[in-house]
Amino acid sequence: MDKNTIIRFEHVTKQYDDDPPVLDDVSFEIERGKFYTLLGPSGCGKTTILRLIAGFTEPTEGNIYFNGKVINNVPPNQRQVNTVFQDYALFPHLNVFENVAFGLRIKKMKESEIEVKVKEALRFVNLEGYENREINEMSGGQRQRVAIARAIVNEPEVLLLDEPLSALDLKLRTEMQYELRELQRRLGITFIFVTHDQEEALAMSDEIFVLNKGKIQQSGTPTDIYDEPINRFVAEFIGESNIVPGKMIKDFLVEFAGKQFECVDQGFHPNEPVEIVIRPEDLEITKRDHGKLQVRVDSLLFRGVHYEICCYDQDGNEWLVHSTKKVGVGDEIGLHFDPEAIHVMRLGETEEEFEKRLGAYHEVNHEK
Amino acid sequence: METIYQSNHRKIAAVLSVIPGFGQLYNRQYVKGILFFILAASFFVIFGDLLDIGLWGIVTLGTQVPRDHSIFLLVQGILSLIVIVFGLGFFAFNLYDAYKNGQKRDLGLRLNTLREQYRTLVDSGFPYLMISPGFILLVFVVIFPIIFVVLLAFTNYDLYHSPPAKLVDWVGFQNFVELVNLDLWRKTFINVLAWTIVWTFGATTLQIALGIFLAILVNQKDLKGKAIIRTIFILPWAVPAFVSILIFSGMFNESFGVINKTILAAFGIDSIPWMTDPFWTKVALILIQSWIGFPFIFTMTTGVLQAIPDELYEAATVDGATAWQKFTKITLPLVLYAVAPILITQYTFNFNNFNIIYLFNSGGPAVSGQNAGATDILISWIYRLTMTSAQYSKAAAITLLLSLFVMTVALWQFRKTKSFKEEDMM
């Protein structure tokens, strides 16, 4: 095992009573000092993973390793892990200083030492001078920081954050994204961040785990996941995408919307049915006859940075285009895209097979 | 900015209004002026006699028996005072109105027509119009008796100075001095005050502690049958307090009561003098009050407990807090902060909890050398003084002291409580 690995899940299953498992045979590794995000819709099991790491619940099957040791039954306070809760879970009857000092007081630390540590933690989250404030006098963003200070004052090796930004308004949320990322770099510890917001995940993470129905669908860097989603779920969950059925004629040639296109994917069986993903921003609007695809504009929505244009081709496939060019509703236009913009997904492929095929493809590309 | 007046109508109108209505007439508001004058005149016609007798009566409290009834004179005197306050209020409004309208004329502004005056009266005066019946009722039902008691405390109204046979006199602070100087009164006052305090803190604290303790116990996650347990614990609340007290009074009966005869006997314990020994009566009272009082605290605490998010406890678990630390550092402070104002009302309630004292043992047993029973609290002692020994003025004096005491404590406590300042704790 890599000595950089801090947490390892080995075939972990979590099941309550006879209900379908919340987590189904999940295995993954988490490395030291990185920013991880568990991304998925509600009920996908991401919070369960967090609670398993924190020690609030135990796996039904499988093992969880921390620094190489099984920690299935280790109580929460004996793990080098701390949690920032969704609603902050600050103690309303204590002021900022006492909230942060809570854990240290439980450990019966010396008063002078507590003072130093609390001040340092508050400085880390830019809350110096707020020691004597009451919690209900603080804004949402400030409460958030107090919650983080309370977690990091215990010097955990891993910090778990359970949708900590969901209660904040959009502007504050964006600010906190930068700050959390920055904080993680300064502290140099592992952050495991749970969210259902794909933008948050893409902006902050070193590595993302996309979860659905108790299984990890795909893991990788934000660009990997965005550019090469493994299946329909991931493609739809992360960003917006056009997904159409197609057929892989042979390597580097794919057929969809009644036409054949050059692409960069390979490793499929001849004439294998596949799904094609093209991101809306990779579609370029041209004159009707210059485009690779001919479509009719159905609707147009101004989004600020771009127009969101909804078109249909003659087969009835919907094409979503993000473009700064304005077009008229009902216009016949052409769509142009590069071969690199086409991403071909094999139906029902597991992550392992996907990695393998992708690896082979990279090698081939390299040789060329 | 200094206003420049073109004339001096405002001062002339105000001075003329010393006779109500004349200022308004001067301002050429004839209807209003006449109305004001008629009101003022009828005030003197209607209340003339009352004021005459009342003011004389409240000063002298009567000079001749049996013509003068001191207490009736006192009552008439208080009524006169109230009437005078209303009259002065009207007079002040009359002056103000004359001055204001005079000022308007000085500034060259047009005065409101009668119709406009009627409109403003109906529009802005409507709330006052609506609350005035309640306000007047309040004055006679609440303020009048308060004034009566305050004044009574400075008279010698008792069995030996009772009209119509005798006159009552003003005696200044004599009642208060006697409460301190005369042995009988001092001893009784100190004993009753001491027991009142012990009773208030003992009974209330016990019922609060019991309520909170049971609420936390029943709130445990893995407890089965919470609903039925909670229902049972709330039942004592459903029974009217006086019924519970009377039943307990029977149960604690020394010779026939089920507690001595059956329960204690089953454990081989001798009969306990629940009704005749001061100590045991006090114990019984505190136990009964805990029984009656805890369901309310229990219910409230249960509500507060359910509002504490689980995450708080998880956060504490991460920090390694033990169950006891979670209780003392999270549960208890949160519960106390949330219910503190209501706890104070519980203390003040028991401070004046006449029902249980009177219904259980009528404040008894009797104690030699004092004129209150062993379990009399201030309020029941006042009742005893008024209703059985006709010590009206002393009772009034004690009532004054008691009110001052309760008001001071209540005010101080409320200001001190955190939840008084911050309402959105959770």
Side-chain angles (χ1 to χ4, degrees):
Chain A
M1 194 187 72
D2 195 342
K3 77 177 204 304
N4 238 342
T5 305
I6 187 160
I7 295 173
R8 189 152 60 91
F9 271 51
E10 218 178 61
H11 304 294
V12 172
T13 296
K14 177 73 191 174
Q15 194 166 12
Y16 293 99
D17 302 325
D18 289 334
D19 297 339
V22 188
L23 275 188
D24 191 3
D25 191 21
V26 168
S27 302
F28 62 86
E29 285 185 5
I30 285 187
E31 284 176 28
R32 227 173 270 283
K34 279 193 180 176
F35 199 119
Y36 286 87
T37 300
L38 304 179
L39 177 66
S42 52
C44 70
K46 55 193 193 300
T47 300
T48 309
I49 293 182
L50 214 61
R51 294 177 67 82
L52 283 168
I53 298 174
F56 297 134
T57 175
E58 290 162 20
T60 319
E61 276 168 53
N63 285 323
I64 302 169
Y65 295 87
F66 194 95
N67 281 337
K69 286 190 207 102
V70 178
I71 53 157
N72 288 9
N73 302 317
V74 176
N77 57 310
Q78 286 167 28
R79 302 184 179 197
Q80 296 299 308
V81 169
N82 224 303
T83 308
V84 176
F85 292 92
Q86 186 167 8
D87 297 318
Y88 322 134
L90 297 173
F91 304 118
H93 58 291
L94 301 177
N95 64 19
V96 170
F97 184 93
E98 289 303 322
N99 259 289
V100 179
F102 189 86
L104 304 179
R105 288 206 195 286
I106 297 283
K107 287 179 195 139
K108 303 235 166 14
M109 197 177 269
K110 263 188 275 166
E111 193 60 36
S112 54
E113 227 172 312
I114 291 179
E115 176 115 13
V116 172
K117 291 208 168 204
V118 171
K119 288 235 160 104
E120 197 191 315
L122 286 175
R123 200 176 56 242
F124 250 111
V125 295
N126 298 324
L127 276 183
E128 296 146 293
Y130 284 84
E131 286 88 353
N132 295 320
R133 287 281 186 97
E134 294 297 327
I135 294 304
N136 54 9
E137 295 168 358
M138 312 278 283
S139 70
Q142 289 172 329
R143 288 182 198 195
Q144 177 75 71
R145 289 162 208 245
V146 178
I148 294 169
R150 191 180 62 181
I152 63 176
V153 80
N154 294 300
E155 295 168 354
E157 287 186 51
V158 175
L159 188 65
L160 308 175
L161 302 107
D162 187 2
E163 307 212 16
L165 306 184
S166 59
L168 304 179
D169 63 60
L170 182 65
K171 193 146 186 286
L172 205 54
R173 200 155 63 210
T174 323
E175 266 172 43
M176 284 305 286
Q177 286 173 10
Y178 281 107
E179 259 184 62
L180 276 180
R181 186 69 234 227
E182 175 60 29
L183 186 70
Q184 188 266 334
R185 287 208 181 102
R186 270 187 291 159
L187 288 169
I189 60 174
T190 312
F191 273 36
I192 303 178
F193 185 90
V194 159
T195 184
H196 58 257
D197 182 336
Q198 44 101 5
E199 272 179 48
E200 229 165 71
L202 292 173
M204 296 164 78
S205 325
D206 289 317
E207 195 120 349
I208 299 177
F209 292 96
V210 184
L211 287 122
N212 191 32
K213 294 182 181 158
K215 279 189 177 296
I216 294 180
Q217 300 289 327
Q218 190 174 10
S219 59
T221 63
T223 36
D224 280 351
I225 289 187
Y226 189 83
D227 291 341
E228 279 149 13
I230 182 171
N231 57 24
R232 194 177 187 92
F233 172 80
V234 177
E236 277 181 342
F237 197 76
I238 311 255
E240 289 181 88
S241 40
N242 297 298
I243 305 175
V244 292
K247 193 162 72 172
M248 204 66 187
I249 305 294
K250 56 179 190 183
D251 284 355
F252 311 119
L253 191 64
V254 65
E255 183 189 291
F256 60 90
K259 287 181 183 174
Q260 296 194 348
F261 299 96
E262 189 190 338
C263 70
V264 294
D265 296 78
Q266 52 112 311
F268 295 85
H269 307 297
N271 293 324
E272 183 181 341
V274 290
E275 281 183 319
I276 312 297
V277 180
I278 303 180
R279 296 285 181 186
E281 66 271 20
D282 291 336
L283 291 170
E284 209 179 303
I285 293 175
T286 60
K287 289 214 177 79
R288 187 176 190 282
D289 302 331
H290 295 188
K292 291 185 174 178
L293 270 175
Q294 280 70 42
V295 295
R296 173 190 282 272
V297 177
D298 184 64
S299 65
L300 185 91
L301 201 63
F302 182 56
R303 286 282 192 187
V305 270
H306 54 70
Y307 287 99
E308 189 173 289
I309 304 160
C310 182
C311 321
Y312 288 93
D313 62 21
Q314 66 271 29
D315 287 3
N317 294 315
E318 185 186 333
W319 293 95
L320 203 62
V321 184
H322 288 173
S323 169
T324 48
K325 283 185 198 156
K326 193 176 178 179
V327 291
V329 173
D331 288 358
E332 292 277 342
I333 54 169
L335 294 178
H336 177 79
F337 47 87
D338 297 331
E340 290 80 19
I342 302 174
H343 173 67
V344 182
M345 299 189 300
R346 199 171 217 168
L347 298 170
E349 192 172 35
T350 67
E351 200 181 358
E352 241 165 49
E353 292 161 351
F354 178 68
E355 294 288 336
K356 212 164 139 194
R357 181 163 64 77
L358 227 58
Y361 152 69
H362 279 303
E363 269 165 39
V364 170
N365 260 11
H366 200 69
E367 280 160 22
K368 273 207 287 191
Chain B
M1 193 187 85
E2 201 168 319
T3 322
I4 297 149
Y5 295 115
Q6 294 159 347
S7 50
N8 224 357
H9 293 309
R10 64 195 187 287
K11 283 182 185 156
I12 299 168
V15 169
L16 279 174
S17 258
V18 169
I19 300 167
F22 278 42
Q24 283 74 16
L25 290 176
Y26 172 78
N27 286 336
R28 300 195 196 109
Q29 295 181 307
Y30 299 114
V31 178
K32 199 204 279 184
I34 291 166
L35 218 61
F36 274 31
F37 184 75
I38 292 173
L39 268 174
S42 44
F43 178 84
F44 283 105
V45 172
I46 294 169
F47 293 124
D49 284 346
L50 175 75
L51 293 183
D52 187 25
I53 297 175
L55 291 180
W56 170 77
I58 200 171
V59 173
T60 62
L61 291 180
T63 52
Q64 198 184 326
V65 179
R67 187 197 65 185
D68 303 333
H69 188 296
S70 301
I71 296 307
F72 290 172
L73 286 173
L74 182 62
V75 169
Q76 281 177 322
I78 296 169
L79 290 178
S80 310
L81 290 179
I82 293 173
V83 164
I84 286 172
V85 169
F86 277 123
L88 285 176
F90 169 71
F91 187 67
F93 174 73
N94 148 65
L95 287 182
Y96 173 81
D97 179 73
Y99 180 83
K100 271 288 159 200
N101 282 314
Q103 196 176 34
K104 269 189 173 176
R105 290 177 69 198
D106 291 341
L107 293 169
L109 299 171
R110 193 179 60 85
L111 295 190
N112 289 343
T113 64
L114 193 64
R115 181 182 290 276
E116 285 166 341
Q117 287 174 39
Y118 175 74
R119 282 249 69 87
T120 38
L121 183 72
V122 170
D123 287 348
S124 63
F126 189 71
Y128 298 102
L129 202 68
M130 285 293 106
I131 58 172
S132 54
F135 179 73
I136 290 169
L137 196 71
L138 199 75
V139 166
F140 287 100
V141 174
V142 177
I143 300 190
F144 170 76
I146 290 175
I147 299 174
F148 185 68
V149 169
V150 170
L151 292 180
L152 214 55
F154 297 96
T155 68
N156 59 359
Y157 184 31
D158 59 20
L159 191 61
Y160 309 106
H161 302 85
S162 276
K166 295 276 168 51
L167 289 173
V168 178
D169 289 311
W170 292 115
V171 293
F173 283 90
Q174 194 191 318
N175 287 317
F176 297 93
V177 173
E178 280 179 8
L179 276 180
V180 180
N181 276 349
L182 295 185
D183 277 350
L184 172 75
W185 286 102
R186 187 179 59 235
K187 189 175 165 233
T188 313
F189 186 68
I190 289 173
N191 282 346
V192 171
L193 185 66
W195 162 238
T196 307
I197 291 169
V198 170
W199 155 256
T200 308
F201 283 94
T204 320
T205 310
L206 197 64
Q207 81 189 38
I208 290 171
L210 189 67
I212 292 179
F213 173 74
L214 288 175
I216 289 169
L217 214 60
V218 177
N219 204 45
Q220 297 306 306
K221 268 207 181 66
D222 33 8
L223 187 77
K224 297 260 188 291
K226 278 184 192 165
I228 186 85
I229 296 174
R230 285 192 178 129
T231 312
I232 290 171
F233 278 154
I234 291 170
L235 279 183
W237 198 8
V239 181
F242 83 94
V243 175
S244 302
I245 298 166
L246 289 176
I247 291 172
F248 272 116
S249 180
M251 287 170 70
F252 275 104
N253 186 297
E254 284 167 24
S255 1
F256 323 109
V258 69
I259 291 179
N260 273 353
K261 283 284 147 214
T262 315
I263 299 175
L264 292 182
F267 292 99
I269 300 171
D270 287 343
S271 283
I272 289 173
W274 294 112
M275 296 295 202
T276 47
D277 185 275
F279 173 77
W280 288 112
T281 312
K282 289 174 181 176
V283 170
L285 279 170
I286 291 180
L287 290 179
I288 297 169
Q289 181 53 40
S290 309
W291 165 274
I292 296 171
F294 90 86
F296 177 62
I297 306 288
F298 172 82
T299 313
M300 221 168 41
T301 310
T302 301
V304 175
L305 286 175
Q306 287 171 348
I308 300 178
D310 277 347
E311 285 190 340
L312 286 191
Y313 295 104
E314 284 180 357
T317 312
V318 172
D319 290 337
T322 59
W324 175 249
Q325 282 170 324
K326 282 183 215 167
F327 172 71
T328 54
K329 295 195 173 197
I330 302 174
T331 313
L332 207 56
L334 285 178
V335 167
L336 288 182
Y337 275 149
V339 301
I342 295 161
L343 296 191
I344 293 163
T345 63
Q346 295 285 300
Y347 281 98
T348 45
F349 174 78
N350 270 339
F351 185 82
N352 277 337
N353 196 342
F354 173 80
N355 285 4
I356 187 166
I357 303 290
Y358 189 73
L359 290 178
F360 182 67
N361 203 6
S362 311
V367 185
S368 64
Q370 70 176 45
N371 59 12
T375 58
D376 264 326
I377 56 176
L378 286 170
I379 193 81
S380 68
W381 184 33
I382 291 167
Y383 178 83
R384 187 189 286 265
L385 288 176
T386 323
M387 293 308 194
T388 59
S389 47
Q391 298 273 9
Y392 306 112
S393 58
K394 284 284 193 313
I398 297 166
T399 307
L400 272 195
L401 293 178
L402 179 142
S403 311
L404 278 178
F405 183 71
V406 173
M407 283 194 291
T408 318
V409 172
L411 208 66
W412 173 72
Q413 268 289 6
F414 263 113
R415 296 189 69 101
K416 228 188 76 173
T417 319
K418 225 172 176 176
S419 42
F420 182 67
K421 287 178 265 178
E422 297 157 13
E423 282 162 358
D424 60 354
M425 283 289 289
M426 287 205 291

